[in-house]
Amino acid sequence: MPRYKKVATKYKVTKYYISAKTIEDMKINFVILLVCATAFFLPDAFAEIKVETVVDGLKIPWELVFAPDDSIYFTERDGKLWHIEDDGTLKLIAEFPASNTYEGGLLGLALDPDFEKNNFLYLYQTYVEFPSHQNKVVRFTISNDHLKDEVILIDNIPGALWHDGGRIHFGPDGMLYISTGDAINPSLSQDIKSLAGKILRINNDGTIPDDNPFENSSVFSYGHRNPQGFDWNSENMMVASEHGPSGEKGRAHDEINIIKPGQNYGWPEIVGDSEDLRYMNPALHSGDVTWAPSGVMYYDSEKIPEWKDKFFVATLRGAHVMMLNIEGEQVISAEKIFGDEYGRIRQLVQSPDGDIFMLTSNGENDKILQITDLQTTPLTVGTKQTEPFTTDLWVYAVTVGIIVSVGIIAYKKLRK
């Protein structure tokens, strides 16, 4: 069972390096004094952060979301759905069959924008339909930490051992967006009739929005290989990450894309940049280096001011977080943070109060980490766990035991 502890690590967000090669000692001292004074009078601009372990002992946590009451739901890829209640109690509220794939399973998770009224919870799931795998998006109503009223919103998304996509988010327009992989069949990415290698867009009841780019189709964009993350900035620009090839057309060339409705992002016809106007070029790609990018988060809080209005991309193979400054549709800068500190990173999520929750994806003893400022008291998660339906089964077993015991006693008395 998972274990829980807190491990704090401090990072200095900004460092200063002053060269003395051509500067007199007096000028150097003046510059140092000026920097120190600025840091003193503007503490928020040069704030330190800390990283604390909220939960450990997990196995490939994939997605995390905050409910309106600040409680947390998260998935593990092998089929577990967890709830961290607002008092810090951790509960296992559902467990689905494992998909026995390398990249599929219980993946994306989203709560309805109107969750406080309808209690709708959405999951992206990989399942086996002999002789292949499929993916689906399912809506449940959650009540007292039990799932009920299952509704399949979209099904028969091609799946495979690899390239299952899996991220789901509600966009600023209230529509549900879904990223799907090419299911190791690259030609499907260019087939508008296939749901593979796409970003899909549907209503919360599974119907197709009238303003989708292709008539009677959930397809929003196509030509994707394996997009595993996306988010929107304050101007509603959608940024997505995508795994590049790993053999079939060379290697690397992972992508960061600006997603626009109806556009073709080229896979498998092009890799990286192209002069072919039929395809959208990536805003940034990794060249000959492999990042294996996953979750994407846009940070819009003042809590860590240096990071405000930046996009953050979790990387798996790269084992770092990439911080992107994107202005317009141009990547102005890209900076690596947390390099080789926590291994493979799956997702980053901004909390309602401006903290960042980061999920590792190393396969064993994975963690949920909280990134916050030094003044914030980190979340403390209790060790109590409740297996789904455990209480009901216990009551049932005791009741049956009592009935059987009473029956045996009565039978013996009748025998006498």
Side-chain angles (χ1 to χ4, degrees):
M1 302 302 289
R3 304 179 305 280
Y4 311 94
K5 62 182 181 180
K6 298 193 297 180
V7 180
T9 308
K10 295 183 180 179
Y11 291 87
K12 194 73 172 176
V13 172
T14 307
K15 296 182 179 180
Y16 299 93
Y17 301 93
I18 304 175
S19 173
K21 291 182 180 179
T22 58
I23 305 177
E24 298 175 358
D25 290 343
M26 185 179 295
K27 293 182 178 180
I28 294 175
N29 292 334
F30 174 78
V31 171
I32 293 174
L33 180 62
L34 180 62
V35 169
C36 292
T38 304
F40 178 79
F41 288 110
L42 298 173
D44 289 340
F46 304 98
E48 288 185 330
I49 61 172
K50 59 185 176 183
V51 179
E52 301 226 12
T53 298
V54 174
V55 182
D56 69 358
L58 300 173
K59 185 177 181 181
I60 311 182
W62 217 90
E63 182 62 283
L64 180 149
V65 298
F66 285 86
D69 64 358
D70 291 340
S71 68
I72 296 170
Y73 295 91
F74 68 92
T75 59
E76 285 183 287
R77 197 171 68 185
D78 65 357
K80 295 182 176 67
L81 173 64
W82 297 88
H83 186 201
I84 303 175
E85 297 180 334
D86 54 3
D87 64 357
T89 300
L90 178 69
K91 298 179 69 175
L92 177 61
I93 62 175
E95 187 167 5
F96 300 91
S99 66
N100 296 314
T101 62
Y102 293 102
E103 292 185 344
L106 184 60
L107 305 179
L109 164 67
L111 301 183
D112 196 273
D114 207 13
F115 181 78
E116 286 183 290
K117 293 182 179 180
N118 57 32
N119 290 315
F120 287 165
L121 179 148
Y122 304 77
L123 296 170
Y124 186 104
Q125 298 173 298
T126 307
Y127 66 96
V128 179
E129 186 172 275
F130 188 81
S132 63
H133 293 84
Q134 300 289 327
N135 295 292
K136 62 183 177 181
V137 176
V138 184
R139 188 186 76 195
F140 292 95
T141 301
I142 187 165
S143 176
N144 296 321
D145 280 338
H146 287 80
L147 301 182
K148 63 179 185 177
D149 302 333
E150 177 181 359
V151 178
I152 298 176
L153 300 185
I154 188 167
D155 202 351
N156 299 314
I157 300 170
L161 295 178
W162 297 275
H163 303 185
D164 288 284
R167 196 69 62 187
I168 59 176
H169 288 309
F170 278 93
D173 55 5
M175 302 299 170
L176 183 61
Y177 290 76
I178 305 157
S179 71
T180 71
D182 69 3
I184 58 176
N185 186 348
S187 64
L188 295 180
S189 295
Q190 290 294 318
D191 182 358
I192 295 297
K193 296 180 180 179
S194 172
L195 298 178
K198 309 293 189 297
I199 292 178
L200 310 176
R201 179 178 183 258
I202 61 174
N203 294 308
N204 73 342
D205 61 358
T207 58
I208 297 171
D210 293 335
D211 59 348
N212 268 13
F214 302 102
E215 187 175 2
N216 298 319
S217 172
S218 60
V219 173
F220 187 74
S221 63
Y222 66 109
H224 300 291
R225 183 175 181 271
N226 191 25
Q228 284 196 4
F230 55 88
D231 202 358
W232 293 262
N233 69 2
S234 56
E235 298 176 349
N236 297 340
M237 179 178 68
M238 185 179 183
V239 174
S241 67
E242 184 169 334
H243 288 214
S246 56
E248 62 269 49
K249 283 185 174 290
R251 292 188 179 276
H253 289 91
D254 299 316
E255 296 181 354
I256 305 298
N257 288 303
I258 310 297
I259 303 299
K260 296 184 177 181
Q263 294 301 307
N264 185 346
Y265 288 81
W267 177 254
E269 303 304 322
I270 63 169
V271 175
D273 293 326
S274 167
E275 295 182 359
D276 193 326
L277 298 181
R278 293 176 298 175
Y279 308 115
M280 293 288 291
N281 280 332
L284 181 70
H285 68 79
S286 65
D288 296 328
V289 176
T290 297
W291 299 328
S294 189
V296 175
M297 177 199 71
Y298 177 71
Y299 188 73
D300 62 0
S301 172
E302 297 283 357
K303 191 165 191 177
I304 307 175
E306 297 89 346
W307 293 358
K308 189 176 187 297
D309 298 326
K310 305 292 195 303
F311 279 94
F312 291 77
V313 182
T315 71
L316 300 165
R317 179 74 65 83
H320 66 269
V321 173
M322 185 161 44
M323 182 169 63
L324 303 176
N325 182 13
I326 302 178
E327 294 183 5
E329 296 181 1
Q330 303 295 319
V331 177
I332 304 302
S333 65
E335 179 182 350
K336 293 181 181 180
I337 58 177
F338 303 124
D340 297 319
E341 291 283 343
Y342 303 104
R344 295 161 59 90
I345 309 298
R346 175 67 62 180
Q347 174 65 315
L348 302 110
V349 179
Q350 181 179 322
S351 73
D353 61 357
D355 291 338
I356 296 173
F357 282 66
M358 184 165 69
L359 281 59
T360 71
S361 189
N362 297 304
E364 57 182 31
N365 195 29
D366 280 316
K367 299 175 175 63
I368 296 175
L369 303 166
Q370 182 178 0
I371 305 168
T372 186
D373 60 18
L374 296 181
Q375 289 72 43
T376 299
T377 301
L379 175 66
T380 300
V381 175
T383 57
K384 179 181 178 182
Q385 296 179 10
T386 304
E387 299 290 342
F389 315 119
T390 298
T391 302
D392 294 341
L393 288 174
W394 181 83
V395 172
Y396 177 80
V398 171
T399 303
V400 170
I402 293 173
I403 293 172
V404 171
S405 298
V406 171
I408 292 172
I409 293 170
Y411 177 77
K412 288 182 177 179
K413 287 185 176 181
L414 289 173
R415 293 274 295 179
K416 292 179 179 179

